[in-house]
Amino acid sequence: MPPPPTPGVDMGVEEALLTGMPALPVGSRVARQRLPSGADILAVEVPSARKVRLVAVVGAGYLDEPGERPGLAHLLEHSLFLGSQDSPQPATFAAWVGEQGGRYNAKTNEFVTDYHLSLPPASVQEGLVRLIDLLVCPCLEASTISREIEVIDAEFQARLADPALHRQAVVSRLFEASHPAAHFHAGHRDSLGKDIPLLCEALRGFHNSHYRAERVGLVMLGPESLTSQLKMLEAACAVIPGGAQPINRLRGGRWAPPAYLQWCLPAKQASTVPKLEMLWPLSSFLAEHHAAVLDHALTTLCDGRLAATLQEQAAIADMAATVRPEGTGPALCLTLTLTPRGERCVDRLLATCLSAVRELPSRLVTQRCSYPLISETDLGDYALQLARRLAQPPSTEHSDDGLQCAFDELEACLAPSACRVMEEKQGLDANVEHVPNTLTPFRRVSWPEDRASAGAARLAPRPAPRIALQDYSTPGAVAGSPTVAECLGKHGSFDLWWAGGSGQQDSAWCLGWPAPRRTQQLRLAAWHQHTLALRQAARNAAVTLTLGGDTRGDWLRVQGEPQGLESVASQALAAWAVVTPDSPPGPSQARSLQPRSSQPRVAPAGLLAQRMLAYLEEPFPRHDAQPLDKRILSWSMGWLGPSEYLRASQRLARKASELLDFSWGAVESSHESLSASVAGAPRWLAPQGEDHALMLQIDGPDDTPVSRLLMRLLADAHDSAFFQELRVHQGLGYVAAVRYREADGWPRLGYVVQSPHADIDDLQEAVECFLTQKSMAVARLGEATLARRRDGLRSMQWGPPETPDEAILASWQALRHAVIGTSLSTAMPPKGTALILRPWEAMEHALMGVTPEALEEFAANLFTEAPRQWWYHSPAGNRRF
């Protein structure tokens, strides 16, 4: 059962390497080459790409480190950025990447460590040289290593507030005690040891053993031709020495006997959304030889049937499945996000899921293998996943001779008796154990000997939502573009716009309507919950459903096979009607949201600093409400011609008139500046760990392209200097960063610091001193530096779209901005009006007009006149007020 060819891809690359990967933009090509040294290089030519993604991956991870040095692999990952042969000073690499407008990151996984960066095309050749120098020739000096251990320790202490770390700690209790996966690997001050010379010797030994050509893979994804990319990659890899030492890995014996574990976060941690996670270990035979079978099994499990069954009792808010879960090796992992009602019927949910998974192999045998079109492609993630596969490439064996053997093996792996369960709870009150190092509470729960006998308690099966396919007799024949909108006039409650016919692959239909801002977060969460089964069924019909909302109202986008767009859009509207209010409380208030099921609690994720930065994307409540208009903005492109689009819209309009109620209140439409809302009143986060953290938020003066550009330039200019001053020089915390974000297009800066020891007063004083003493000097960019930053922004963010999906979404938002503007009562443009929707051209014009003087003047006004909003976190909560 070989996978289908990816559109536009050179299939000279082994098919197994691309199994399960999304489709690249049309015209893309892929080529792979193994060099005589043993290094593996892969080039991905994407003509529409603005920037270049480089990923270097080393086939050694934290399970390969010496047992007596937990955290050594992670420390080495950090240490490579502390200086190398050609750039011996710490942070030189980071500063260079920042000057190009690029981004970089690294991660240590079980058997792979990856280093990835994004750069403008003009910088890629030098970036390759610097990346290889970083990998091959690190300084690993004792003085810098000693300081970095404190950073590793601070990172570990900060991650103790991250549910992901505790989840991984509980997963380790499912493994045999003799297997490396059962041991601690995050690393901290005590685990790495006090003897710095011995530690440095161990680092050099690990580096010399594994960071060698035979274990290195390098991926480049960008607009350059395959020939050019392969030439650059081959030249860069020429300096990587060979001689990697063999790795003796345990091929089996990871999993202990099946168990049921309940766990919770340690005391004083913020509560999370409870989850029920089920794991079925998969054999290396399936993972290495039959990846296509596993991907088909995943597609079948997530076809909407199981989700519809579980949601019939309003028991789950979300469902996710993967055959490549974090930190377990090959396994089918099914995760349910529980509602309060679901927490009370876990046994029935388990029985239902066990039965559904047990039936998977028989369903695969009787069904035709389907590979639905996946139109949304994250090019950065694409390069990263390919690089990780290079380090552990799957076998190229895909013969039909072994297919029945694969089904038999899969059936054995997915038996109910093979399932391991982790149930996250709000708290545990008896028989509690603790995972060493993280102190994560857990307990073991008894299972029935015959788990299949629990089938009597399972929920009654429900069918997946049906996607009705329309047979359009007169498809559009006009060449169209996702950057054009032609007004077809007003038809019922619909304002119709059309972008012409451009073929099936780019077919899309977008709908937007006004809705109250004050209940939007809760409403969108409920809408996502109620469309879970629909979104799964739609993807199996090669249609992607995207839901969203902002100050202009709520919206949906359906994209993919044209015959299913209308059906998916209609059902998504029906789901939205379920979660909207049903009766007005009074003439001046919007009704409170009453979704069909109770909403889950919001789960924190990531470090405190990451959670704080998320608030930059949430607009403050608006108070200048206007009556809701009954208009629905509709825009279609792709397969439908104007007459078919009109008829389909009329059918959908009748449905919308029955479902959407526009009589229940007011909508807040215009942006309200920070000074007119809550500026000056500190906002405290609920205690979520032992660290102190704060963020200074500064809103831009307006949302024009020029202001957005200048704010982003300031963020890039300040980030490295802020990091150097607060983290490196003052040693205040683990995180010190300046980030640019947008809230409904409104630009914002966030200066965030997280510290395990400094209190709020010290952190605030440090931020204010930086702004007072250094912000203007750092913002004074020379013409050459500014030109380089402009080129970086053009490539990294504000140039033409890289994928069709990005173009459609950007153009849809530009249409909403142009037609709705800041007032929902804007008159309908005359029929035949044509709009060119290319918001990136406005940014390009703004880029060309920015000068060093304009940036300096903007910074002076911003830092002296703009109101400031402080966000605080203290382990003891709000101790000042």
Side-chain angles (χ1 to χ4, degrees), residues 113-308:
T113 304
D114 53 69
Y115 302 83
H116 42 283
L117 66 152
S118 300
L119 291 168
S123 305
V124 66
Q125 193 155 9
E126 184 177 354
L128 260 175
V129 172
R130 288 176 176 270
L131 178 61
I132 297 301
D133 178 54
L134 176 149
L135 288 175
V136 176
C137 305
C139 293
L140 300 181
E141 295 181 354
S143 58
T144 55
I145 298 300
S146 180
R147 289 194 296 269
E148 197 64 21
I149 290 174
E150 298 305 311
V151 173
I152 291 282
D153 188 72
E155 176 181 345
F156 171 70
Q157 299 300 328
R159 287 191 65 207
L160 288 175
D162 186 356
L165 179 69
H166 295 283
R167 178 260 178 197
Q168 187 58 45
V170 177
V171 168
S172 71
R173 302 303 90 185
L174 296 172
F175 304 145
E176 291 285 0
S178 60
H179 195 280
H183 303 155
F184 174 75
H185 294 280
H188 52 58
R189 187 187 297 114
D190 294 335
S191 75
L192 291 167
K194 308 291 186 182
D195 193 325
I196 300 302
L198 280 179
L199 179 61
C200 291
E201 183 179 344
L203 280 172
R204 294 188 188 99
F206 191 79
H207 181 269
N208 291 336
S209 295
H210 304 304
Y211 282 59
R212 292 294 179 260
E214 301 91 338
R215 208 156 285 148
V216 171
L218 201 58
V219 172
M220 180 187 296
L221 185 153
E224 295 83 357
S225 69
L226 289 181
T227 302
S228 176
Q229 290 190 35
L230 290 173
K231 183 178 179 180
M232 284 189 282
L233 290 170
E234 185 174 1
C237 290
V239 301
I240 304 177
Q245 298 299 308
I247 297 179
N248 297 319
R249 289 175 179 160
L250 293 175
R251 296 291 293 175
R254 174 196 285 251
W255 293 90
Y260 185 150
L261 305 179
Q262 292 179 333
W263 68 281
C264 67
L265 293 177
K268 298 184 179 179
Q269 298 292 327
S271 62
T272 64
V273 178
K275 290 183 173 62
L276 183 64
E277 188 170 353
M278 291 149 277
L279 290 156
W280 288 263
L282 299 172
S283 67
S284 57
F285 166 78
L286 285 171
E288 294 177 7
H289 298 280
H290 292 283
V293 173
L294 296 182
D295 285 335
H296 182 42
L298 199 62
T299 300
T300 304
L301 182 63
C302 298
D303 64 357
R305 297 188 212 183
L306 180 58

Side-chain angles (χ1 to χ4, degrees), residues 490-495 512-515 626-634 653 656-657 660-665 667 824-826:
K490 188 175 181 67
H491 297 270
S493 59
F494 275 42
D495 293 350
W513 53 91
Q626 301 180 18
L628 283 170
D629 196 339
K630 296 184 179 182
R631 295 166 53 191
I632 301 177
L633 180 63
S634 175
S657 65
L660 304 186
D661 181 2
F662 291 96
S663 64
W664 38 267
V667 60
L824 293 171
S825 60
T826 304

Side-chain angles (χ1 to χ4, degrees), residues 1 24 95 119 143 153 161 174 264 295 341 353 401 412 421 437 491 522 540 548 554 609 616 663 730 775-776:
M1 183 173 22
L24 288 169
L119 291 168
S143 58
D153 188 72
L174 296 172
C264 67
D295 285 335
R341 183 178 295 181
C353 292
D401 295 338
V421 177
N437 289 286
H491 297 270
L522 186 60
N540 269 26
D554 294 353
L616 295 179
S663 64
Q730 298 186 36
S775 64
M776 290 304 301

